[in-house]
Amino acid sequence: MSKVNFIELFGSLNLVDIPHYDATPHQIIIALTPPTVTELRDARSYCIQQYSGTRIPFQLTVDTGAFEAGEALELEAIIQAGFGPDSNKERVKIPLMLNHATARVEQNITVSGSSTSATQPPASTVFTEIHGDISIPQIDDLEGHQLIISLNEVGLNDDLQPFFNRISETSYQVRTLKAPFSLRYDNNVLTSGRSYDLLFILRAPSGKFVAGRNLRNIDLAELTEAQQVTLGRPR
């Protein structure tokens, strides 16, 4: 079988007996990592999504140049509420091996809690996908570079200071100058009348941002076709 350049790792995260947390935002993190990696920034691929239901679709893009065929990997799901050291509420890890010949891999995940509350979130809500291709400026060695795409709600707070609310984010280690992306968001977590930015960043292993683009004040209803995005160098 021939090698593919990218793998779509997709499925649903099912929440069972997970309580309604007072702290906000409620979000899930799904990350594909080697067992020895503990930092999200070093994941082979991850997504972060705010959620409002108990069934959450996800998709990770995995560059086959970022891992060895048959390498031991882990797919981890984390439920978060709020921010800070106590934000992680539930988590589960699944061992996973990927080859370099299968373009689409389905893996569903269940996270179970111990809630006995009669009030449960809806089983599923409407998710929308933004997808397309990203062109990266010439970089001789892309090893360890992380491509990050995020959808952010922007506005002013009561003190008229700007604020940013991350609705969804996806990221993966990239090895080619032409890369696909897929970002999903829960329509129920959007706020009517707010503005939204779509941010693209290429981060070097040093942590420095070496390329990017920010699409400001986008109309989400118009992003139904595949997007073609070209990153620029920082000024």
Side-chain angles (χ1 to χ4, degrees), residues 20-200:
H20 176 78
Y21 301 109
D22 291 333
T24 57
H26 301 158
Q27 58 186 16
I28 57 103
I29 300 173
I30 299 176
L32 180 71
T33 66
T36 56
V37 168
T38 58
E39 296 293 333
L40 191 62
R41 59 172 294 153
D42 296 322
R44 297 297 181 265
S45 182
Y46 73 80
C47 67
I48 303 172
Q49 297 174 187
Q50 290 192 32
Y51 71 90
S52 63
T54 60
R55 186 174 181 273
I56 306 159
F58 72 89
Q59 179 175 314
L60 301 182
T61 301
V62 188
D63 190 320
T64 55
F67 70 96
E68 299 292 332
E71 178 183 352
L73 299 169
E74 290 181 339
L75 188 62
E76 181 175 26
I78 303 173
I79 308 299
Q80 285 190 335
F83 300 100
D86 297 326
S87 62
N88 290 348
K89 303 301 183 182
E90 303 285 351
R91 66 199 310 156
V92 65
K93 289 184 179 181
I94 299 174
L96 191 67
M97 285 189 180
L98 300 174
N99 60 51
H100 286 175
T102 304
R104 303 186 79 240
V105 177
E106 183 175 6
Q107 178 65 65
N108 297 318
I109 308 171
T110 297
V111 179
S112 298
S114 57
S115 174
T116 58
S117 172
T119 303
Q120 294 294 329
S124 62
T125 58
V126 177
F127 280 77
T128 299
E129 179 189 24
I130 304 172
H131 69 284
D133 292 289
I134 300 171
S135 297
I136 298 172
Q138 181 62 45
I139 294 176
D140 293 333
D141 184 6
L142 278 171
E143 184 171 356
H145 284 65
Q146 199 87 12
L147 189 60
I148 305 168
I149 304 99
S150 62
L151 175 65
N152 303 294
E153 180 184 88
V154 297
L156 298 176
N157 62 21
D158 293 340
D159 297 324
L160 300 182
Q161 297 298 313
F163 75 86
F164 302 88
N165 176 23
R166 179 181 59 196
I167 300 297
S168 181
E169 179 174 296
T170 187
S171 176
Y172 66 94
Q173 290 191 15
V174 66
R175 297 291 190 273
T176 63
L177 297 177
K178 186 77 170 181
F181 78 93
S182 173
L183 181 82
R184 300 185 183 210
Y185 63 89
D186 184 339
N187 286 268
N188 281 2
V189 306
L190 302 180
T191 304
S192 177
R194 291 278 171 79
S195 297
Y196 293 90
D197 292 353
L198 190 58
L199 177 64
F200 300 81

